[in-house]
Amino acid sequence: MKQSDTEAMQRCLNLAKEAVDAGDNPFGAVIVDAEGSIVAEGRNRENTQLDVTLHAEIDAIRQATSARGENCLRGLTLYTNGQPCLMCSVAIRRVGISRVVYGAPSGQPSRVSPHPLTDPDFGQSPPPSVESGLLAEESRKIQGRL
């Protein structure tokens, strides 16, 4: 992984801390382009917005598609401090994000097999490359606040 990967994940952790401070769950997400520039970022807002679908990844995807004026996010990387849930994984596949980097698993492991994030037969776009373990200890620590 590159230095820019670490910087993006650190931003996710900062967003997760902001979420906790606001009364939400400890998750942040950042979407970057090929040059490492931030396209969008989001944090969990389930409690403050009273919307159970407002996970950090969804928040970031909504901002990115709005900023780009399209639902295609191919060529972009999504960073998040927790492993994307099923709902977020489907959204990631629908918009065609090319790469996902997460810090540590979060919550209960999915019993869905194959998982929509990595299943080559799911959806209209190919599965993203998935990397885990970046700043894993820090990610587990912030998730411990859940």
Side-chain angles (χ1 to χ4, degrees):
M1 293 196 203
K2 304 175 287 189
Q3 177 64 27
S4 58
D5 290 335
T6 303
E7 291 169 358
M9 186 60 72
Q10 187 59 57
R11 180 64 186 139
C12 290
L13 292 168
N14 291 340
L15 289 163
K17 290 173 188 169
E18 289 177 22
V20 169
D21 291 346
D24 289 305
N25 295 322
F27 300 101
V30 174
I31 298 175
V32 303
D33 62 20
E35 290 76 41
S37 298
I38 293 177
V39 173
E41 56 184 36
R43 66 169 184 79
N44 185 285
R45 297 174 190 276
E46 286 183 70
N47 298 329
T48 54
Q49 296 297 310
L50 301 176
D51 181 349
V52 297
T53 69
L54 204 40
H55 293 191
E57 298 93 331
I58 299 296
D59 192 24
I61 288 169
R62 287 176 180 171
Q63 290 182 36
T65 55
S66 179
R68 291 173 66 108
E70 62 180 347
N71 283 331
C72 179
L73 301 180
R74 282 188 188 90
L76 302 183
T77 298
L78 182 141
Y79 297 86
T80 182
N81 61 299
Q83 182 178 10
C85 72
L86 289 174
M87 174 185 69
C88 293
S89 295
V90 170
I92 289 165
R93 289 294 298 275
R94 295 267 310 171
V95 298
I97 288 173
S98 299
R99 180 175 174 236
V100 174
V101 179
Y102 69 89
S106 49
Q108 294 283 335
S110 170
R111 290 184 170 57
V112 173
S113 181
H115 194 281
L117 188 60
T118 55
D119 180 2
D121 296 323
F122 180 85
Q124 299 171 340
S125 61
S129 67
V130 178
E131 301 167 42
S132 63
L134 181 60
L135 299 180
E137 187 58 38
E138 296 89 335
S139 294
R140 279 191 287 277
K141 184 177 178 183
I142 188 76
Q143 288 176 34
R145 295 185 183 181
L146 186 61

